[in-house]
Amino acid sequence: MKEAVADTSALVSLALSGKMELILRHVKISVPPTIKAKLEEMPRFPDEEGTAAKKALSMIESGKISLQKIAKSEEAEKLVTKNIDLGEAECFQLATERKMPAILMDDLAASYGLSEKAWKNGIRMRISAAAITELLAAGEISKGAARKALNKMIKNRKWEKTTMEYLIKKHLEEK
Amino acid sequence: MGSDVVTVRFDEKTRKRISKLSRRKLETQSEIMRKAVLNYLEREDEANEIKEIVSLKYAQGKVSFEEMVRILGYEEARKTAYFVEVAEKSLKEGI
């Protein structure tokens, strides 16, 4: 089973794809405490992202997403910059401590900020759409279903007319 | 459209600058701060729009990395190139 640490942005995207529960049967996702705390703040907003945050939280509370404490929180704090918040820093620290192979993160600025350290530690930075690719590779969904899930992510995340939409659609056309 | 009151903290030096500008322009301090925030938001929105247009053209192969550097600056160009690479790897290879 593939493993990854996910931050808030990735969890919200996965929930918005409509395939979160299926993904969690094939990918072991872990989160640090600050990510749970950030998700807890989001359902105050009655929009799709608030609903997605609630979904992700329910997956943590039921144990389908693993909540893991980090041993050296001071190391996470050292990573915080204007582009990397504490949640994202904790994701990196968790991946490092538990030797997780990948971090799912849709926040470009934070992902870029962590990229060099991630590379040095042998951690792959990925966007959440990688999880849909995993389902397709495992034969768990059809190409049509993958296309639908990714299009749903694009629409619900308001990625229309962005580079993200272009890359996802280009990939779908090539499949 | 209604408006809300927002509390913002400034250090002494910034408070004095706002006060000085308010006297010079004969505007209230609230108006000065409102304009400053709106100007900042507008500049950020424009900059983001440009970044997104250039990023898309780079992903489409219509703009080279060097051209992207000329338009966005080296750091932003690197960030965009990084994102395109990570997105492509994520979609192709999965986790």
Side-chain angles (χ1 to χ4, degrees):
Chain A
M1 200 187 219
K2 292 276 174 88
E3 279 189 281
V5 176
D7 82 334
T8 315
S9 64
L11 291 175
V12 166
S13 297
L14 292 179
L16 288 170
S17 75
K19 295 289 176 201
M20 184 166 234
E21 297 205 47
L22 185 58
I23 286 165
L24 294 174
R25 291 207 280 271
H26 294 275
V27 182
K28 182 168 187 254
I29 291 181
S30 300
V31 298
T34 302
I35 296 300
K36 180 172 184 257
K38 283 172 80 174
L39 289 169
E40 282 165 349
E41 286 174 16
M42 289 177 70
R44 281 191 281 147
F45 307 107
D47 57 8
E48 280 144 353
E49 290 182 347
T51 308
K54 250 193 226 170
K55 175 81 179 172
L57 261 174
S58 71
M59 296 292 110
I60 296 172
E61 279 150 11
S62 64
K64 290 177 183 169
I65 291 176
S66 176
L67 180 65
Q68 307 261 356
K69 288 193 178 154
I70 53 172
K72 295 182 181 173
S73 55
E74 67 278 9
E75 291 300 314
E77 283 159 23
K78 285 181 194 170
L79 296 170
V80 174
T81 65
K82 69 170 184 168
N83 291 318
I84 301 168
D85 66 26
L86 183 60
E88 288 144 358
E90 282 193 1
C91 284
F92 178 81
Q93 187 59 25
L94 179 62
T96 302
E97 285 178 8
R98 307 274 177 150
K99 297 190 184 352
M100 302 275 202
I103 297 174
L104 301 181
M105 192 174 282
D106 285 350
D107 183 322
L108 162 64
S111 178
Y112 177 70
L114 292 167
S115 58
E116 196 177 326
K117 286 186 165 56
W119 178 77
K120 283 178 181 167
N121 286 17
I123 297 167
R124 295 186 293 276
M125 298 300 293
R126 293 288 189 255
I127 60 171
S128 59
I132 306 290
T133 299
E134 283 301 326
L135 290 183
L136 196 54
E140 284 302 319
I141 53 172
S142 64
K143 284 180 197 174
R147 185 171 283 120
K148 203 173 162 188
L150 288 166
N151 281 332
K152 223 173 150 183
M153 212 189 258
I154 290 167
K155 180 174 177 277
N156 288 329
R157 275 306 225 160
K158 299 180 181 42
W159 286 340
E160 290 104 329
K161 297 183 184 162
T162 66
T163 308
M164 184 79 95
E165 182 190 32
Y166 169 76
L167 290 168
I168 289 174
K169 290 198 164 168
K170 182 180 151 206
H171 170 75
L172 289 171
E173 276 159 28
E174 285 167 0
K175 280 229 149 276
Chain B
M1 202 190 326
S3 58
D4 291 323
V5 172
V6 175
T7 304
V8 181
R9 291 191 192 284
F10 291 115
D11 57 40
E12 182 69 22
K13 193 175 166 188
T14 308
R15 283 284 284 125
K16 283 182 177 170
R17 286 177 73 186
I18 293 169
S19 175
K20 194 174 167 186
L21 187 60
S22 154
R23 286 196 299 276
R24 200 168 77 219
K25 292 179 83 81
L26 299 175
E27 288 177 359
T28 64
Q29 293 192 43
S30 291
E31 195 54 33
I32 298 293
M33 287 185 272
R34 236 186 324 268
K35 281 185 179 177
V37 168
L38 285 171
N39 278 338
Y40 174 76
L41 290 173
E42 214 166 289
R43 279 201 313 274
E44 284 294 308
D45 283 347
E46 277 172 14
N48 281 335
E49 209 177 311
I50 291 168
K51 277 181 211 171
E52 191 46 57
I53 290 168
V54 174
S55 165
L56 183 54
K57 287 196 183 296
Y58 174 76
Q60 291 168 332
K62 292 178 180 175
V63 149
S64 68
F65 180 75
E66 290 73 22
E67 283 168 322
M68 198 166 51
V69 170
R70 271 198 292 276
I71 301 166
L72 299 180
Y74 182 66
E75 205 46 38
E76 275 305 321
R78 269 193 69 187
K79 207 187 280 187
T80 299
Y82 163 80
F83 172 65
V84 170
E85 186 188 335
V86 164
E88 285 178 339
K89 275 190 175 158
S90 300
L91 291 161
K92 194 173 165 193
E93 299 170 10
I95 291 171

